[in-house]
Amino acid sequence: MEKYLGIDLGGTNVKVAITDKTGNIYGSASVKTLACDDPEVPVRQIEAGVKAALENAGLQMSDIKAAGFGIPGNGVWPKGEVIICPNIGWNHFDAVGRLESILGVPVFMGNDADCMALAENSFGAGKNYRAFLMITLGTGVGGAFVMDGKPFVGAGPCAGEFGYIPLVHGGYESNSGLNGCLEEYCSIRGMERLAMEEGFPEHTGPKRVFRMLEEGNPAAERVVDAYTDLLAEGLTGLINIFRPEVILLGGGMANAGAPLFDRLNEKIPKMTYANDSVPAPKVTGTVLGTYAGALGAAVLAME
């Protein structure tokens, strides 16, 4: 069976998977991204991740038909340049050309959230839905709206950036210039900021906050309530535009489970337009786990 390489370039890690058209993973690897001012540094990390995944699979590049590549930013899909990738430091960079010269196979590029949504559509929690919204909550906030198996891409690059929806006027500062946007409140750093406002030490992240919530800490409860209020508002705005059948949450924040999902499913219907006539979609989790983005990137190469 033909094998494909999927590369998920995240702000923290590069995840690589080798798969076939059924979604079976033959080998995988994860390495640190090491983003910096030199655009070649992430390229070398990708190369290292690919080498490790091939070794884990007992394969060589000659066994790979094509590769897909997901980035946390925007580009000219699927074969053009990276326009902007803020967490990586790439601007107007020919990542596709560089990777094709290194790997020796065709490379197809897409947005990382779109890639995760493609994986969930093909192999996971979205495969039984005609229209679903998927949001990733991690280092940043990404998203994709999938209709009939295809992510919404607008008129060209920079569509579907749900993390940059304005949420709080004059709110938390963003390196994108879009201060107060959804990403600045509902990413990991967003929860860290909310925790600091409740007196927690700097960089108190989701794992600790949710653990203290389970222990009955009232300050942690206020943090989670504030966080889910903001996330519910952002998601409800998207519901009222797209009206998906379901909302899938992925990324590290979604690992909180019931304390997160139960609050969202309680708050969102109260803000959803015409909820009495057309009930709000349920918020639930993605199912493919750590290598979903890499699987979806491989799907790009299969199409």
Side-chain angles (χ1 to χ4, degrees):
M1 184 174 289
E2 293 175 337
K3 296 177 179 63
Y4 299 85
L5 184 68
I7 302 163
D8 178 18
L9 176 62
T12 304
N13 295 298
V14 180
K15 300 182 183 71
V16 182
I18 298 166
T19 185
D20 57 29
K21 288 188 175 181
T22 70
N24 180 49
I25 294 179
Y26 294 86
S28 61
S30 178
V31 299
K32 293 295 183 183
T33 302
L34 301 182
C36 69
D37 292 336
D38 181 355
E40 289 297 321
V41 172
V43 171
R44 290 194 291 270
Q45 294 304 102
I46 291 168
E47 187 175 10
V50 169
K51 181 179 179 181
L54 288 168
E55 288 177 354
N56 290 338
L59 298 171
Q60 299 179 353
M61 274 306 303
S62 59
D63 299 308
I64 305 299
K65 182 175 182 180
F69 173 47
I71 66 167
N74 287 276
V76 182
W77 320 127
K79 301 288 286 185
E81 69 172 2
V82 174
I83 295 174
I84 184 170
C85 198
N87 291 329
I88 305 301
W90 285 351
N91 288 283
H92 297 285
F93 179 63
D94 183 18
V96 170
R98 287 291 294 116
L99 290 179
E100 287 186 336
S101 69
I102 291 168
L103 302 178
V105 297
V107 174
F108 301 86
M109 180 177 67
N111 175 266
D112 59 347
D114 287 352
C115 289
M116 184 180 286
L118 282 172
E120 294 291 340
N121 178 77
S122 297
F123 313 117
K127 63 183 179 182
N128 295 321
Y129 297 100
R130 180 172 176 244
F132 68 88
L133 180 67
M134 193 208 69
I135 300 292
T136 59
L137 306 170
T139 305
V141 173
F145 175 66
V146 176
M147 182 77 175
D148 293 328
K150 300 292 183 182
F152 168 79
V153 295
C158 298
E161 286 294 333
F162 299 137
Y164 294 122
I165 294 172
L167 187 63
V168 178
H169 182 70
Y172 293 154
E173 185 176 353
S174 172
N175 60 14
S176 71
L178 297 172
N179 296 346
C181 63
L182 181 66
E183 177 167 285
E184 297 307 323
Y185 282 87
C186 296
S187 62
I188 290 172
R189 68 179 173 273
M191 180 168 277
E192 289 175 349
R193 287 162 152 172
L194 292 169
M196 285 181 65
E197 291 183 0
E198 286 293 340
F200 288 101
E202 188 176 3
H203 302 308
T204 299
K207 288 184 179 180
R208 184 179 177 193
V209 169
F210 281 105
R211 183 174 67 249
M212 295 182 73
L213 175 71
E214 291 180 358
E215 295 169 354
N217 184 289
E221 184 169 1
R222 289 193 296 270
V223 172
V224 174
D225 280 340
Y227 177 87
T228 52
D229 281 345
L230 291 158
L231 182 55
E233 288 181 11
L235 293 179
T236 302
L238 294 170
I239 290 168
N240 291 339
I241 295 169
F242 292 108
R243 209 68 185 207
E245 295 172 83
V246 68
I247 296 178
L248 306 178
L249 294 187
M253 297 286 292
N255 293 332
L260 174 66
F261 292 108
D262 290 351
R263 283 172 171 78
L264 292 173
N265 283 314
E266 177 187 357
K267 295 174 180 182
I268 286 173
K270 298 173 183 177
M271 296 183 284
T272 299
Y273 175 74
N275 181 63
D276 292 342
S277 301
V278 183
K282 184 179 180 181
V283 180
T284 187
T286 56
V287 299
L288 293 178
T290 302
Y291 288 93
L295 273 175
V299 171
L300 290 175
M302 300 174 192
E303 296 181 340

